[in-house]
Amino acid sequence: MSLRFAVLSLLDIEPGSGYDLKRRFERSVHHFWSASHQQMYRELHKLHGEGLLDCVEEIQDGRPDKKVYSLTAAGRGALEAWVAKPAAAQKIRDPFLIQVFAGHHLPPAQMRAELQRHLSEHRDKLATYEAQNARFYRRPAEQQQKLWISHQPLLLGIETEKTWIRWAEQLLARLDAEIADRDTAG
Protein backbone atom coordinates (compact mmCIF):
# COMPACT_ATOMS: atom_id res chain seq x y z
CA MET A 1 0.00 0.00 0.00
CA SER A 2 2.82 2.43 0.74
CA LEU A 3 4.27 2.23 -2.79
CA ARG A 4 1.21 4.06 -4.09
CA PHE A 5 1.80 6.86 -1.60
CA ALA A 6 5.54 6.93 -2.29
CA VAL A 7 4.66 7.45 -5.98
CA LEU A 8 2.08 10.12 -5.15
CA SER A 9 4.59 11.86 -2.84
CA LEU A 10 7.32 11.93 -5.48
CA LEU A 11 4.94 13.24 -8.13
CA ASP A 12 3.66 15.83 -5.65
CA ILE A 13 7.16 17.28 -5.58
CA GLU A 14 7.52 17.30 -9.37
CA PRO A 15 5.75 15.67 -12.35
CA GLY A 16 7.78 13.12 -14.28
CA SER A 17 7.95 10.05 -16.47
CA GLY A 18 8.22 6.53 -15.14
CA TYR A 19 11.97 6.70 -15.75
CA ASP A 20 12.22 10.05 -13.91
CA LEU A 21 10.20 8.66 -11.06
CA LYS A 22 12.36 5.54 -10.76
CA ARG A 23 15.52 7.68 -10.64
CA ARG A 24 14.00 9.95 -7.97
CA PHE A 25 12.83 6.89 -6.05
CA GLU A 26 16.37 5.47 -6.02
CA ARG A 27 17.79 8.77 -4.78
CA SER A 28 15.27 9.28 -2.00
CA VAL A 29 12.60 6.80 -0.93
CA HIS A 30 14.67 3.72 -1.81
CA HIS A 31 16.61 3.92 1.46
CA PHE A 32 13.47 2.97 3.39
CA TRP A 33 11.11 1.45 0.80
CA SER A 34 11.93 -0.83 -2.10
CA ALA A 35 10.16 -1.44 -5.39
CA SER A 36 11.15 -2.92 -8.71
CA HIS A 37 10.92 -1.07 -12.00
CA GLN A 38 7.90 -3.21 -12.94
CA GLN A 39 6.12 -2.50 -9.65
CA MET A 40 6.64 1.22 -10.18
CA TYR A 41 5.15 1.15 -13.68
CA ARG A 42 2.22 -1.01 -12.56
CA GLU A 43 1.50 1.47 -9.77
CA LEU A 44 1.67 4.43 -12.18
CA HIS A 45 -0.85 2.77 -14.52
CA LYS A 46 -3.11 1.83 -11.62
CA LEU A 47 -3.04 5.34 -10.13
CA HIS A 48 -3.73 6.83 -13.57
CA GLY A 49 -6.64 4.43 -14.04
CA GLU A 50 -8.07 5.49 -10.68
CA GLY A 51 -7.95 9.15 -11.72
CA LEU A 52 -5.25 10.07 -9.20
CA LEU A 53 -2.71 10.93 -11.91
CA ASP A 54 -2.82 12.81 -15.19
CA CYS A 55 -0.66 11.57 -18.03
CA VAL A 56 0.56 13.67 -20.94
CA GLU A 57 2.55 12.13 -23.80
CA GLU A 58 5.55 14.16 -24.89
CA ILE A 59 6.81 13.49 -28.41
CA GLN A 60 10.57 12.92 -28.59
CA ASP A 61 12.75 12.93 -31.69
CA GLY A 62 14.34 9.55 -32.38
CA ARG A 63 12.99 8.03 -29.19
CA PRO A 64 9.67 6.62 -28.04
CA ASP A 65 7.14 9.14 -26.77
CA LYS A 66 7.48 9.88 -23.08
CA LYS A 67 4.54 9.74 -20.66
CA VAL A 68 4.76 12.46 -18.02
CA TYR A 69 2.65 11.91 -14.93
CA SER A 70 1.37 14.52 -12.49
CA LEU A 71 -1.05 14.51 -9.57
CA THR A 72 -4.70 15.31 -10.11
CA ALA A 73 -6.69 17.10 -7.43
CA ALA A 74 -8.02 13.67 -6.42
CA GLY A 75 -4.45 12.36 -6.19
CA ARG A 76 -3.38 15.24 -3.99
CA GLY A 77 -6.48 14.68 -1.83
CA ALA A 78 -5.71 10.97 -1.48
CA LEU A 79 -2.13 11.77 -0.49
CA GLU A 80 -3.23 14.38 2.05
CA ALA A 81 -5.82 11.99 3.56
CA TRP A 82 -3.25 9.19 3.82
CA VAL A 83 -0.58 11.41 5.40
CA ALA A 84 -3.08 12.52 8.04
CA LYS A 85 -3.68 8.93 9.22
CA PRO A 86 -1.51 7.51 12.02
CA ALA A 87 1.08 5.01 10.80
CA ALA A 88 1.89 1.89 12.79
CA ALA A 89 5.44 1.57 14.06
CA GLN A 90 7.32 -1.15 12.24
CA LYS A 91 9.22 -3.95 13.91
CA ILE A 92 12.63 -5.06 12.75
CA ARG A 93 12.48 -8.19 10.61
CA ASP A 94 16.05 -9.13 9.82
CA PRO A 95 16.92 -12.80 9.17
CA PHE A 96 20.55 -12.13 10.08
CA LEU A 97 19.55 -11.12 13.61
CA ILE A 98 17.84 -14.50 14.03
CA GLN A 99 21.10 -16.12 12.90
CA VAL A 100 22.99 -14.09 15.50
CA PHE A 101 20.40 -15.09 18.10
CA ALA A 102 21.13 -18.75 17.29
CA GLY A 103 24.83 -18.05 16.70
CA HIS A 104 25.97 -20.20 19.61
CA HIS A 105 25.57 -23.12 17.16
CA LEU A 106 28.37 -21.75 14.97
CA PRO A 107 32.08 -21.59 15.59
CA PRO A 108 33.04 -17.99 16.41
CA ALA A 109 35.18 -17.72 13.26
CA GLN A 110 32.20 -18.62 11.07
CA MET A 111 29.93 -16.15 12.86
CA ARG A 112 32.69 -13.55 12.52
CA ALA A 113 32.91 -14.06 8.75
CA GLU A 114 29.15 -13.65 8.32
CA LEU A 115 29.12 -10.58 10.57
CA GLN A 116 32.01 -9.10 8.60
CA ARG A 117 30.06 -9.58 5.36
CA HIS A 118 27.02 -7.79 6.79
CA LEU A 119 29.20 -5.05 8.22
CA SER A 120 30.66 -4.42 4.78
CA GLU A 121 27.16 -4.13 3.30
CA HIS A 122 26.09 -1.66 6.00
CA ARG A 123 29.21 0.44 5.48
CA ASP A 124 28.43 0.57 1.75
CA LYS A 125 24.84 1.57 2.50
CA LEU A 126 26.05 4.31 4.86
CA ALA A 127 28.37 5.64 2.15
CA THR A 128 25.44 5.72 -0.30
CA TYR A 129 23.23 7.55 2.19
CA GLU A 130 25.96 10.06 2.98
CA ALA A 131 26.42 10.75 -0.75
CA GLN A 132 22.65 11.30 -1.06
CA ASN A 133 22.80 13.60 1.94
CA ALA A 134 25.60 15.63 0.37
CA ARG A 135 23.50 15.96 -2.83
CA PHE A 136 20.60 17.28 -0.76
CA TYR A 137 22.81 20.03 0.68
CA ARG A 138 23.96 21.02 -2.82
CA ARG A 139 20.36 21.92 -3.71
CA PRO A 140 19.37 25.58 -3.69
CA ALA A 141 18.42 26.85 -0.23
CA GLU A 142 14.74 27.28 -1.17
CA GLN A 143 14.52 23.61 -2.24
CA GLN A 144 16.22 22.51 0.98
CA GLN A 145 13.70 24.54 2.95
CA LYS A 146 10.74 23.14 0.99
CA LEU A 147 11.95 19.52 1.30
CA TRP A 148 13.52 19.54 4.77
CA ILE A 149 10.91 17.20 6.23
CA SER A 150 11.18 14.83 3.25
CA HIS A 151 14.90 14.69 4.02
CA GLN A 152 14.38 13.35 7.55
CA PRO A 153 14.01 9.63 6.64
CA LEU A 154 17.43 9.79 4.99
CA LEU A 155 18.92 11.29 8.15
CA LEU A 156 17.32 8.50 10.19
CA GLY A 157 18.79 5.99 7.73
CA ILE A 158 22.25 7.47 8.26
CA GLU A 159 21.91 7.24 12.04
CA THR A 160 20.52 3.69 11.81
CA GLU A 161 23.49 2.56 9.71
CA LYS A 162 25.95 4.22 12.09
CA THR A 163 24.32 2.44 15.02
CA TRP A 164 24.34 -0.92 13.19
CA ILE A 165 28.02 -0.47 12.31
CA ARG A 166 28.95 0.44 15.90
CA TRP A 167 27.03 -2.61 17.19
CA ALA A 168 28.70 -4.93 14.65
CA GLU A 169 32.18 -3.59 15.41
CA GLN A 170 31.63 -4.26 19.13
CA LEU A 171 30.40 -7.77 18.37
CA LEU A 172 33.42 -8.37 16.12
CA ALA A 173 35.75 -7.29 18.92
CA ARG A 174 34.05 -9.73 21.29
CA LEU A 175 34.24 -12.55 18.72
CA ASP A 176 37.92 -11.77 18.11
CA ALA A 177 38.60 -11.99 21.83
CA GLU A 178 36.73 -15.30 22.04
CA ILE A 179 38.67 -16.68 19.06
CA ALA A 180 41.98 -15.54 20.63
CA ASP A 181 41.02 -17.15 23.95
CA ARG A 182 40.20 -20.45 22.22
CA ASP A 183 43.46 -20.33 20.26
CA THR A 184 45.55 -19.84 23.42
CA ALA A 185 43.56 -22.46 25.37
CA GLY A 186 43.51 -25.06 22.62
Side-chain angles (χ1 to χ4, degrees):
M1 183 60 122
S2 290
L3 176 58
R4 89 187 273 109
F5 295 106
V7 169
L8 290 173
S9 296
L10 288 169
L11 290 173
D12 184 47
I13 294 170
E14 181 180 7
S17 67
Y19 176 77
D20 297 333
L21 189 63
K22 184 65 176 160
R23 283 186 46 224
R24 275 191 251 149
F25 190 93
E26 289 170 354
R27 290 190 318 250
S28 60
V29 180
H30 180 71
H31 52 265
F32 56 88
W33 196 263
S34 62
S36 70
H37 195 72
Q38 294 83 6
Q39 288 173 310
M40 184 83 62
Y41 276 97
R42 271 195 309 270
E43 198 62 43
L44 281 170
H45 293 294
K46 188 174 171 184
L47 290 167
H48 182 252
E50 292 174 21
L52 301 179
L53 299 180
D54 277 330
C55 180
V56 176
E57 287 197 35
E58 290 183 359
I59 298 170
Q60 301 186 105
D61 290 332
R63 294 170 40 194
D65 294 347
K66 179 165 102 170
K67 293 181 179 181
V68 178
Y69 295 91
S70 61
L71 285 183
T72 62
R76 188 162 284 107
L79 178 60
E80 289 170 358
W82 178 78
V83 168
K85 291 180 184 175
Q90 294 296 304
K91 295 180 179 170
I92 297 172
R93 290 182 57 144
D94 187 335
F96 176 65
L97 294 180
I98 297 295
Q99 289 178 311
V100 172
F101 184 74
H104 57 279
H105 292 287
L106 290 177
Q110 188 176 349
M111 177 53 74
R112 185 191 192 292
E114 185 62 9
L115 180 61
Q116 189 64 52
R117 186 178 70 76
H118 281 267
L119 180 57
S120 178
E121 289 176 12
H122 283 274
R123 284 178 174 150
D124 290 346
K125 193 182 296 186
L126 176 60
T128 298
Y129 290 176
E130 287 176 335
Q132 290 172 338
N133 193 43
R135 276 196 304 275
F136 176 82
Y137 287 110
R138 287 194 297 269
R139 290 174 174 257
E142 63 275 1
Q143 281 185 0
Q144 288 182 38
Q145 179 57 35
K146 178 183 176 189
L147 301 173
W148 75 269
I149 200 144
S150 299
H151 183 65
Q152 298 310 300
L154 176 61
L155 296 178
L156 177 60
I158 289 169
E159 293 306 314
T160 300
E161 292 307 318
K162 287 179 178 178
T163 299
W164 203 100
I165 289 166
R166 191 170 46 254
W167 168 81
E169 288 172 341
Q170 291 169 354
L171 183 52
L172 277 175
R174 175 79 186 261
L175 286 168
D176 287 344
E178 190 170 316
I179 291 167
D181 287 348
R182 285 185 181 193
D183 288 348
T184 58

PDB file of all heavy atoms in Angstrom, residues 156-176:
ATOM      1  N   LEU A 156      17.532   9.651   9.304  1.00  0.00           N
ATOM      2  CA  LEU A 156      17.320   8.497  10.187  1.00  0.00           C
ATOM      3  C   LEU A 156      18.071   7.283   9.648  1.00  0.00           C
ATOM      4  O   LEU A 156      18.681   6.529  10.415  1.00  0.00           O
ATOM      5  CB  LEU A 156      15.832   8.177  10.330  1.00  0.00           C
ATOM      6  CG  LEU A 156      15.511   6.949  11.182  1.00  0.00           C
ATOM      7  CD1 LEU A 156      16.037   7.098  12.604  1.00  0.00           C
ATOM      8  CD2 LEU A 156      14.015   6.683  11.166  1.00  0.00           C
ATOM      9  N   GLY A 157      18.046   7.093   8.334  1.00  0.00           N
ATOM     10  CA  GLY A 157      18.791   5.986   7.727  1.00  0.00           C
ATOM     11  C   GLY A 157      20.279   6.073   8.024  1.00  0.00           C
ATOM     12  O   GLY A 157      20.926   5.064   8.339  1.00  0.00           O
ATOM     13  N   ILE A 158      20.826   7.267   7.957  1.00  0.00           N
ATOM     14  CA  ILE A 158      22.250   7.469   8.261  1.00  0.00           C
ATOM     15  C   ILE A 158      22.535   7.082   9.714  1.00  0.00           C
ATOM     16  O   ILE A 158      23.484   6.344   9.999  1.00  0.00           O
ATOM     17  CB  ILE A 158      22.673   8.928   7.969  1.00  0.00           C
ATOM     18  CG1 ILE A 158      22.698   9.161   6.459  1.00  0.00           C
ATOM     19  CG2 ILE A 158      24.019   9.256   8.610  1.00  0.00           C
ATOM     20  CD1 ILE A 158      22.848  10.620   6.063  1.00  0.00           C
ATOM     21  N   GLU A 159      21.704   7.559  10.625  1.00  0.00           N
ATOM     22  CA  GLU A 159      21.908   7.241  12.043  1.00  0.00           C
ATOM     23  C   GLU A 159      21.715   5.755  12.320  1.00  0.00           C
ATOM     24  O   GLU A 159      22.447   5.168  13.114  1.00  0.00           O
ATOM     25  CB  GLU A 159      20.981   8.085  12.922  1.00  0.00           C
ATOM     26  CG  GLU A 159      21.323   9.562  12.903  1.00  0.00           C
ATOM     27  CD  GLU A 159      22.784   9.845  13.252  1.00  0.00           C
ATOM     28  OE1 GLU A 159      23.306   9.267  14.235  1.00  0.00           O
ATOM     29  OE2 GLU A 159      23.411  10.642  12.531  1.00  0.00           O
ATOM     30  N   THR A 160      20.752   5.135  11.647  1.00  0.00           N
ATOM     31  CA  THR A 160      20.521   3.695  11.812  1.00  0.00           C
ATOM     32  C   THR A 160      21.741   2.907  11.362  1.00  0.00           C
ATOM     33  O   THR A 160      22.183   1.973  12.051  1.00  0.00           O
ATOM     34  CB  THR A 160      19.271   3.269  11.016  1.00  0.00           C
ATOM     35  OG1 THR A 160      18.142   3.992  11.519  1.00  0.00           O
ATOM     36  CG2 THR A 160      19.022   1.774  11.122  1.00  0.00           C
ATOM     37  N   GLU A 161      22.300   3.263  10.211  1.00  0.00           N
ATOM     38  CA  GLU A 161      23.486   2.559   9.714  1.00  0.00           C
ATOM     39  C   GLU A 161      24.679   2.773  10.637  1.00  0.00           C
ATOM     40  O   GLU A 161      25.429   1.835  10.908  1.00  0.00           O
ATOM     41  CB  GLU A 161      23.823   2.991   8.285  1.00  0.00           C
ATOM     42  CG  GLU A 161      22.800   2.552   7.266  1.00  0.00           C
ATOM     43  CD  GLU A 161      22.492   1.064   7.291  1.00  0.00           C
ATOM     44  OE1 GLU A 161      23.426   0.236   7.417  1.00  0.00           O
ATOM     45  OE2 GLU A 161      21.304   0.714   7.197  1.00  0.00           O
ATOM     46  N   LYS A 162      24.856   3.966  11.146  1.00  0.00           N
ATOM     47  CA  LYS A 162      25.954   4.224  12.088  1.00  0.00           C
ATOM     48  C   LYS A 162      25.803   3.367  13.345  1.00  0.00           C
ATOM     49  O   LYS A 162      26.782   2.809  13.845  1.00  0.00           O
ATOM     50  CB  LYS A 162      26.002   5.706  12.467  1.00  0.00           C
ATOM     51  CG  LYS A 162      26.525   6.604  11.370  1.00  0.00           C
ATOM     52  CD  LYS A 162      26.511   8.051  11.830  1.00  0.00           C
ATOM     53  CE  LYS A 162      27.065   8.981  10.776  1.00  0.00           C
ATOM     54  NZ  LYS A 162      27.009  10.399  11.224  1.00  0.00           N
ATOM     55  N   THR A 163      24.571   3.265  13.834  1.00  0.00           N
ATOM     56  CA  THR A 163      24.316   2.437  15.020  1.00  0.00           C
ATOM     57  C   THR A 163      24.588   0.973  14.718  1.00  0.00           C
ATOM     58  O   THR A 163      25.221   0.268  15.521  1.00  0.00           O
ATOM     59  CB  THR A 163      22.862   2.642  15.502  1.00  0.00           C
ATOM     60  OG1 THR A 163      22.700   4.022  15.860  1.00  0.00           O
ATOM     61  CG2 THR A 163      22.533   1.752  16.688  1.00  0.00           C
ATOM     62  N   TRP A 164      24.115   0.483  13.572  1.00  0.00           N
ATOM     63  CA  TRP A 164      24.338  -0.916  13.192  1.00  0.00           C
ATOM     64  C   TRP A 164      25.833  -1.190  13.091  1.00  0.00           C
ATOM     65  O   TRP A 164      26.315  -2.214  13.590  1.00  0.00           O
ATOM     66  CB  TRP A 164      23.652  -1.208  11.858  1.00  0.00           C
ATOM     67  CG  TRP A 164      23.351  -2.665  11.673  1.00  0.00           C
ATOM     68  CD1 TRP A 164      22.155  -3.280  11.857  1.00  0.00           C
ATOM     69  CD2 TRP A 164      24.274  -3.693  11.288  1.00  0.00           C
ATOM     70  NE1 TRP A 164      22.277  -4.628  11.614  1.00  0.00           N
ATOM     71  CE2 TRP A 164      23.568  -4.909  11.259  1.00  0.00           C
ATOM     72  CE3 TRP A 164      25.627  -3.712  10.970  1.00  0.00           C
ATOM     73  CZ2 TRP A 164      24.158  -6.119  10.924  1.00  0.00           C
ATOM     74  CZ3 TRP A 164      26.227  -4.921  10.632  1.00  0.00           C
ATOM     75  CH2 TRP A 164      25.491  -6.105  10.618  1.00  0.00           C
ATOM     76  N   ILE A 165      26.575  -0.292  12.472  1.00  0.00           N
ATOM     77  CA  ILE A 165      28.023  -0.472  12.307  1.00  0.00           C
ATOM     78  C   ILE A 165      28.717  -0.501  13.669  1.00  0.00           C
ATOM     79  O   ILE A 165      29.566  -1.367  13.928  1.00  0.00           O
ATOM     80  CB  ILE A 165      28.593   0.630  11.390  1.00  0.00           C
ATOM     81  CG1 ILE A 165      28.127   0.389   9.946  1.00  0.00           C
ATOM     82  CG2 ILE A 165      30.120   0.705  11.484  1.00  0.00           C
ATOM     83  CD1 ILE A 165      28.341   1.574   9.013  1.00  0.00           C
ATOM     84  N   ARG A 166      28.350   0.418  14.545  1.00  0.00           N
ATOM     85  CA  ARG A 166      28.950   0.443  15.896  1.00  0.00           C
ATOM     86  C   ARG A 166      28.658  -0.863  16.629  1.00  0.00           C
ATOM     87  O   ARG A 166      29.538  -1.459  17.247  1.00  0.00           O
ATOM     88  CB  ARG A 166      28.413   1.659  16.656  1.00  0.00           C
ATOM     89  CG  ARG A 166      29.119   1.957  17.942  1.00  0.00           C
ATOM     90  CD  ARG A 166      28.717   3.306  18.555  1.00  0.00           C
ATOM     91  NE  ARG A 166      27.286   3.564  18.577  1.00  0.00           N
ATOM     92  CZ  ARG A 166      26.659   4.428  17.758  1.00  0.00           C
ATOM     93  NH1 ARG A 166      27.338   5.117  16.863  1.00  0.00           N
ATOM     94  NH2 ARG A 166      25.346   4.597  17.846  1.00  0.00           N
ATOM     95  N   TRP A 167      27.405  -1.346  16.565  1.00  0.00           N
ATOM     96  CA  TRP A 167      27.033  -2.614  17.194  1.00  0.00           C
ATOM     97  C   TRP A 167      27.853  -3.764  16.618  1.00  0.00           C
ATOM     98  O   TRP A 167      28.393  -4.592  17.364  1.00  0.00           O
ATOM     99  CB  TRP A 167      25.533  -2.851  16.992  1.00  0.00           C
ATOM    100  CG  TRP A 167      25.093  -4.237  17.346  1.00  0.00           C
ATOM    101  CD1 TRP A 167      24.833  -4.721  18.592  1.00  0.00           C
ATOM    102  CD2 TRP A 167      24.874  -5.325  16.445  1.00  0.00           C
ATOM    103  NE1 TRP A 167      24.466  -6.052  18.518  1.00  0.00           N
ATOM    104  CE2 TRP A 167      24.481  -6.440  17.207  1.00  0.00           C
ATOM    105  CE3 TRP A 167      24.967  -5.463  15.058  1.00  0.00           C
ATOM    106  CZ2 TRP A 167      24.189  -7.671  16.639  1.00  0.00           C
ATOM    107  CZ3 TRP A 167      24.667  -6.691  14.481  1.00  0.00           C
ATOM    108  CH2 TRP A 167      24.284  -7.781  15.277  1.00  0.00           C
ATOM    109  N   ALA A 168      27.974  -3.838  15.294  1.00  0.00           N
ATOM    110  CA  ALA A 168      28.699  -4.933  14.648  1.00  0.00           C
ATOM    111  C   ALA A 168      30.188  -4.890  14.995  1.00  0.00           C
ATOM    112  O   ALA A 168      30.801  -5.940  15.210  1.00  0.00           O
ATOM    113  CB  ALA A 168      28.498  -4.876  13.139  1.00  0.00           C
ATOM    114  N   GLU A 169      30.756  -3.702  15.050  1.00  0.00           N
ATOM    115  CA  GLU A 169      32.176  -3.589  15.412  1.00  0.00           C
ATOM    116  C   GLU A 169      32.421  -4.064  16.838  1.00  0.00           C
ATOM    117  O   GLU A 169      33.426  -4.719  17.119  1.00  0.00           O
ATOM    118  CB  GLU A 169      32.652  -2.147  15.215  1.00  0.00           C
ATOM    119  CG  GLU A 169      32.787  -1.769  13.745  1.00  0.00           C
ATOM    120  CD  GLU A 169      33.070  -0.299  13.504  1.00  0.00           C
ATOM    121  OE1 GLU A 169      32.828   0.536  14.423  1.00  0.00           O
ATOM    122  OE2 GLU A 169      33.502   0.028  12.377  1.00  0.00           O
ATOM    123  N   GLN A 170      31.501  -3.778  17.755  1.00  0.00           N
ATOM    124  CA  GLN A 170      31.627  -4.257  19.131  1.00  0.00           C
ATOM    125  C   GLN A 170      31.503  -5.779  19.188  1.00  0.00           C
ATOM    126  O   GLN A 170      32.246  -6.446  19.911  1.00  0.00           O
ATOM    127  CB  GLN A 170      30.569  -3.600  20.020  1.00  0.00           C
ATOM    128  CG  GLN A 170      30.809  -2.133  20.237  1.00  0.00           C
ATOM    129  CD  GLN A 170      29.626  -1.432  20.901  1.00  0.00           C
ATOM    130  OE1 GLN A 170      28.569  -2.021  21.112  1.00  0.00           O
ATOM    131  NE2 GLN A 170      29.811  -0.157  21.221  1.00  0.00           N
ATOM    132  N   LEU A 171      30.571  -6.324  18.414  1.00  0.00           N
ATOM    133  CA  LEU A 171      30.401  -7.771  18.370  1.00  0.00           C
ATOM    134  C   LEU A 171      31.637  -8.436  17.761  1.00  0.00           C
ATOM    135  O   LEU A 171      32.091  -9.476  18.249  1.00  0.00           O
ATOM    136  CB  LEU A 171      29.140  -8.128  17.569  1.00  0.00           C
ATOM    137  CG  LEU A 171      28.778  -9.609  17.475  1.00  0.00           C
ATOM    138  CD1 LEU A 171      28.724 -10.281  18.837  1.00  0.00           C
ATOM    139  CD2 LEU A 171      27.442  -9.753  16.734  1.00  0.00           C
ATOM    140  N   LEU A 172      32.191  -7.831  16.720  1.00  0.00           N
ATOM    141  CA  LEU A 172      33.420  -8.373  16.118  1.00  0.00           C
ATOM    142  C   LEU A 172      34.557  -8.399  17.138  1.00  0.00           C
ATOM    143  O   LEU A 172      35.308  -9.387  17.214  1.00  0.00           O
ATOM    144  CB  LEU A 172      33.844  -7.545  14.902  1.00  0.00           C
ATOM    145  CG  LEU A 172      33.167  -7.868  13.589  1.00  0.00           C
ATOM    146  CD1 LEU A 172      33.594  -6.877  12.509  1.00  0.00           C
ATOM    147  CD2 LEU A 172      33.474  -9.291  13.143  1.00  0.00           C
ATOM    148  N   ALA A 173      34.684  -7.331  17.901  1.00  0.00           N
ATOM    149  CA  ALA A 173      35.749  -7.290  18.919  1.00  0.00           C
ATOM    150  C   ALA A 173      35.563  -8.415  19.933  1.00  0.00           C
ATOM    151  O   ALA A 173      36.533  -9.083  20.321  1.00  0.00           O
ATOM    152  CB  ALA A 173      35.756  -5.929  19.611  1.00  0.00           C
ATOM    153  N   ARG A 174      34.327  -8.649  20.335  1.00  0.00           N
ATOM    154  CA  ARG A 174      34.049  -9.731  21.292  1.00  0.00           C
ATOM    155  C   ARG A 174      34.346 -11.097  20.671  1.00  0.00           C
ATOM    156  O   ARG A 174      34.921 -11.979  21.316  1.00  0.00           O
ATOM    157  CB  ARG A 174      32.595  -9.630  21.743  1.00  0.00           C
ATOM    158  CG  ARG A 174      32.131 -10.741  22.641  1.00  0.00           C
ATOM    159  CD  ARG A 174      32.599 -10.544  24.077  1.00  0.00           C
ATOM    160  NE  ARG A 174      32.266 -11.679  24.904  1.00  0.00           N
ATOM    161  CZ  ARG A 174      31.224 -11.750  25.707  1.00  0.00           C
ATOM    162  NH1 ARG A 174      30.382 -10.730  25.810  1.00  0.00           N
ATOM    163  NH2 ARG A 174      31.005 -12.828  26.426  1.00  0.00           N
ATOM    164  N   LEU A 175      33.938 -11.290  19.407  1.00  0.00           N
ATOM    165  CA  LEU A 175      34.237 -12.549  18.719  1.00  0.00           C
ATOM    166  C   LEU A 175      35.744 -12.752  18.565  1.00  0.00           C
ATOM    167  O   LEU A 175      36.251 -13.860  18.746  1.00  0.00           O
ATOM    168  CB  LEU A 175      33.551 -12.595  17.359  1.00  0.00           C
ATOM    169  CG  LEU A 175      32.037 -12.819  17.379  1.00  0.00           C
ATOM    170  CD1 LEU A 175      31.447 -12.555  16.004  1.00  0.00           C
ATOM    171  CD2 LEU A 175      31.704 -14.230  17.852  1.00  0.00           C
ATOM    172  N   ASP A 176      36.458 -11.685  18.237  1.00  0.00           N
ATOM    173  CA  ASP A 176      37.919 -11.772  18.106  1.00  0.00           C
ATOM    174  C   ASP A 176      38.565 -12.191  19.426  1.00  0.00           C
ATOM    175  O   ASP A 176      39.484 -13.022  19.448  1.00  0.00           O
ATOM    176  CB  ASP A 176      38.503 -10.443  17.625  1.00  0.00           C
ATOM    177  CG  ASP A 176      38.216 -10.174  16.156  1.00  0.00           C
ATOM    178  OD1 ASP A 176      37.842 -11.122  15.411  1.00  0.00           O
ATOM    179  OD2 ASP A 176      38.352  -9.008  15.729  1.00  0.00           O
TER     180      ASP A 176
END
